[in-house]
Amino acid sequence: MKKNVLTILTLLLTLPAFASAKTEKTSDAPVKEHFQNHFKFYGFIRNYFVFDSRESVSGTSDLFYYLPKDVNMKDGIDVNDTPSFRFVALTSRAGVDVSGYQIGNVHFGAKLEADFYAGLSNSSNANVSNWFPGNSKISGTAQMRLRQAYATVTWKDLPMGKDQKASVGLKIGQAWHPMAADHPHLFSLEVGAPFGPFSRTPLVQMDANLGKSWVVSAAAIWQMQYQSTGPVGASAIYMKYGMTPEMYAAVAYKVNGFQIRAGVDMVSIKPRVLGTTAEGKTVKVSDRKTSVLGYVYAQYAYKKFAVKAKTTFGQGGEHMNLMSGYAKVGENLTDGSWEYASLRNSSSWLSLSYGKKWQGVLFLGYIKNLGLAEGVLDGPIAKGDVYFCGNGFSNLNQMYRINPQLIYNIGKMNVGLEYQWTGVQYGDYVGGNLNARALADENLHWVGNHRVNLMVKYNF
């Protein structure tokens, strides 16, 4: 009897385990189906092989290209007239899109995306600047970094009248800056920068689709990786203490493969919180710099042919990698505050693409530094009083790029070869100064760089 009781108790104790195992086994299919319906994993392994004929400003192990450096003569030689080569896979990427969740007509989604970027370090040898002309921050072990991380809420099928529907989407998190979301047909890492805005940043963005053709957008934007410049260099500190988010608004129209969008962006920052009066007393100052930048973007696609174009014009934009900034102008005010004026900049690009399996692309870009709208009355502006994009130089006058490329697409593999010529017109600083409009207009001269870039990419 005792033995039978023990057997019954053992069966009772093990039944939940069997039931659990059976439940887990039968739940595999629903879990798999759930992931397939709501989660889309993606990414790629990407390798770049790059040759430059001249020392240049570039980031991400010299893969994100900006512009060639000016002439730098030492003992009769231009030390920047030096070729270089490197190849690296640190821009490989992984991400996941989440979609398919809804309550009524309200849809929820998200994106999380990362790649390899940080971790590269400078050479520790004190003689590196004596023996090499350029950036020594090209070695080390790359670490994962955040690219995008945002949630979305979309209200669909909202009535508009005349049998048309509207939808309103809200995006909250780290994402492409709305002025930088339109990319030319390029596989190079900089995708057209600095001829167009480039930034991913924290934001709250609203996009309202009004019928089939019209889209109205607005956003409040903060700064993180891509920052305004100022007295202490590039930093998000100016926006933090300015306590004013960057504001953006745009309207777009699309029909039959054609799309056009126009928008405006405003940034208001506080370059300093504390200052010093003429008597040497520390005071809180009223410094503030506000700039407005506008753009127009258009694209058209027909069968294997596509064309895209974009132009930006206005003030500042250095926080989006545009070749611009602002300047301290005039004397210190009696309360210790400074006055500022934004530099104006015109930046444009055009890209043409034809083909699918074999794809040919031509990219053309042009930048003009227009300086201050009005010259400073008391004469030249000191180089140190001009806060310019950290990836460029305030003596830049104009710049252009010609970039043809050929891409072979086979299944999940892409192989591309591009040639890139970038020419920059620099002027000289006169006694360490720019002219009254913060431009270098003396001894204007051109320098250029030949870049050959090979990419091998596997998508998954």
Side-chain angles (χ1 to χ4, degrees), residues 207-387:
D207 296 297
N209 292 272
L210 307 177
K212 297 179 180 180
S213 298
W214 291 96
V215 181
V216 176
S217 302
I221 304 166
W222 210 248
Q223 292 183 5
M224 191 179 74
Q225 179 183 357
Y226 302 96
Q227 307 153 343
S228 296
T229 188
V232 297
S235 176
I237 198 171
Y238 312 116
M239 181 167 281
K240 173 183 176 181
Y241 288 100
M243 298 188 298
T244 304
E246 181 179 349
M247 305 303 295
Y248 167 88
V251 60
Y253 177 79
K254 53 186 178 180
V255 61
N256 298 330
F258 173 78
Q259 178 179 332
I260 186 169
R261 183 187 301 112
V264 63
D265 186 81
M266 184 188 76
V267 180
S268 185
I269 59 174
K270 194 172 182 63
R272 297 184 310 154
V273 172
L274 303 176
T276 306
T277 64
E279 295 77 22
K281 181 181 178 181
T282 298
V283 292
K284 289 186 177 180
V285 296
S286 59
D287 289 27
R288 182 164 290 273
K289 194 277 298 184
T290 301
S291 60
V292 178
L293 185 68
Y295 81 99
V296 177
Y297 169 80
Q299 69 177 43
Y300 176 73
Y302 178 74
K303 294 183 178 179
K304 295 183 179 181
F305 173 75
V307 58
K308 298 180 180 181
K310 190 171 191 175
T311 184
T312 62
F313 175 81
Q315 305 166 331
E318 77 282 355
H319 66 295
M320 292 185 283
N321 284 293
L322 295 178
M323 291 294 136
S324 192
Y326 61 100
K328 173 192 170 187
V329 295
E331 298 295 330
N332 293 358
L333 301 180
T334 55
D335 65 351
S337 300
W338 293 354
E339 291 184 295
Y340 305 91
S342 294
L343 301 176
R344 298 170 305 138
N345 170 278
S346 174
S347 302
S348 303
W349 58 257
L350 169 70
S351 75
L352 306 169
S353 172
Y354 182 81
K356 296 295 183 182
K357 186 173 183 180
W358 285 97
Q359 183 182 6
V361 172
L362 177 63
F363 173 88
L364 304 172
Y366 180 74
I367 292 172
K368 177 64 176 178
N369 180 8
L370 300 169
L372 302 177
E374 297 181 2
V376 177
L377 295 178
D378 56 355
I381 299 177
K383 176 182 176 182
D385 287 339
V386 177
Y387 308 117

Side-chain angles (χ1 to χ4, degrees), residues 36-116:
Q36 290 176 341
N37 292 338
H38 299 287
F39 294 83
K40 180 182 179 182
F41 295 91
Y42 66 92
F44 51 74
I45 308 300
R46 182 169 57 182
N47 287 267
Y48 283 117
F49 302 76
V50 181
F51 165 82
D52 286 312
S53 66
R54 183 176 183 83
E55 189 62 33
S56 300
V57 180
S58 50
T60 317
S61 194
D62 288 351
L63 298 182
F64 196 110
Y65 189 80
Y66 291 101
L67 75 174
K69 292 183 178 180
D70 197 4
V71 174
N72 183 12
M73 301 300 295
K74 290 185 178 180
D75 298 326
I77 62 170
D78 179 6
V79 298
N80 286 332
D81 186 15
T82 304
S84 62
F85 176 79
R86 85 288 295 148
F87 65 87
V88 68
L90 61 80
T91 60
S92 298
R93 187 176 305 163
V96 58
D97 288 321
V98 184
S99 62
Y101 295 98
Q102 68 181 88
I103 300 175
N105 69 337
V106 183
H107 296 249
F108 302 89
K111 177 187 280 287
L112 181 63
E113 184 179 86
D115 69 355
F116 295 91

